[in-house]
Amino acid sequence: AAASLGRSAPDALWKYHDGKRNLLFAVGRWNGPAGKKAKILPISWIRDASGVERFAFKHQPSPRPLYGLPELHERPTASVVIVEGEKCAEAAKAVFPSSVIVTSPGGSNAALQTDWTSLAGRIRALIWPDLDAPGIKYATTVANILVDLGIPEILIVDAQRLAEVEPSGNRRETTPGWDVADAIAEGHEPGKLRAAAVEAAQPHKPGPRFLSFGSFTMSN
């Protein structure tokens, strides 16, 4: 289905499952030419307006499920690591083998369209954002959601601090968008990277919360 819709086989295909490992939908990635942005698209089985059922590039209805639900159900006491995107979720498994790795579908702007309630009851969550402004916004949004779920310890990794150090230990200029998948690709040793990430993590301090409803908006 992914190859047919995308007119070529995807370079990566990540499958979303429910807690019982039933397939829900998938996300495909088609890498563009050098210097071009990759296409990342959801693939779902839909019923269109005419009643015909088929595969299509379409997201699941909100709230969408997390990537990593089977592991959450199978490891109910494990700590949780939250990253941006499925590629990072797979890379982070080597860095945090004792934790469950999850992410939300739809990119950094879709955190509020995701069902995070499956994380309720966890004691600790670590958020590793991408090194850019959308990453900071994503981490803050997710952290505030986790506060509402009652998770007592929420840490956010300072990606800037991690990205400044090469695998050799030398200092360097950082690259926008740098993430855990980049760190693994560069050759960072997973155990040392895990220790560095934990050391670079700071507790989340929720600021003022605003409630908006109907035609009323509460803001600063």
Side-chain angles (χ1 to χ4, degrees), residues 68-132:
L69 281 180
E71 290 78 11
L72 277 174
H73 283 256
E74 293 162 7
R75 302 169 66 186
T77 62
S79 59
V80 174
V81 174
I82 301 162
V83 295
E84 277 188 69
E86 299 84 5
K87 181 180 179 181
C88 287
E90 291 302 313
K93 290 179 180 179
V95 183
F96 302 96
S98 298
S99 300
V100 174
I101 317 298
V102 301
T103 192
S104 53
S108 61
N109 291 321
L112 292 174
Q113 299 179 50
T114 301
D115 181 4
W116 297 90
T117 57
S118 55
L119 299 184
R122 301 284 165 159
I123 297 174
R124 183 174 185 267
L126 177 76
I127 305 171
W128 184 334
D130 292 358
L131 180 56
D132 50 26

Side-chain angles (χ1 to χ4, degrees), residues 31-189:
N31 295 330
K36 297 291 185 179
K37 193 173 182 180
K39 292 192 300 181
I40 302 176
L41 298 167
I43 303 161
S44 300
W45 182 256
I46 69 163
R47 181 182 295 112
D48 62 26
S50 66
V52 174
E53 295 187 5
R54 58 185 174 84
F55 281 108
F57 285 140
K58 190 175 179 65
H59 269 298
Q60 295 278 296
S62 300
R64 301 166 188 157
L66 288 170
Y67 184 73
L69 281 180
E71 290 78 11
L72 277 174
H73 283 256
E74 293 162 7
R75 302 169 66 186
T77 62
S79 59
V80 174
V81 174
I82 301 162
V83 295
E84 277 188 69
E86 299 84 5
K87 181 180 179 181
C88 287
E90 291 302 313
K93 290 179 180 179
V95 183
F96 302 96
S98 298
S99 300
V100 174
I101 317 298
V102 301
T103 192
S104 53
S108 61
N109 291 321
L112 292 174
Q113 299 179 50
T114 301
D115 181 4
W116 297 90
T117 57
S118 55
L119 299 184
R122 301 284 165 159
I123 297 174
R124 183 174 185 267
L126 177 76
I127 305 171
W128 184 334
D130 292 358
L131 180 56
D132 50 26
I136 294 173
K137 180 181 177 182
Y138 177 79
T140 303
T141 300
V142 173
N144 286 333
I145 292 171
L146 301 186
V147 168
D148 290 341
L149 290 176
I151 296 178
E153 185 179 4
I154 303 166
L155 303 171
I156 300 178
V157 174
D158 183 347
Q160 174 73 28
R161 180 175 165 185
L162 287 183
E164 290 175 348
V165 182
E166 295 178 339
S168 63
N170 295 325
R171 311 291 292 185
R172 64 176 174 186
E173 294 292 326
T174 58
T175 302
W178 186 88
D179 56 32
V180 62
D182 293 323
I184 292 297
E186 290 171 356
H188 281 274
E189 195 279 316

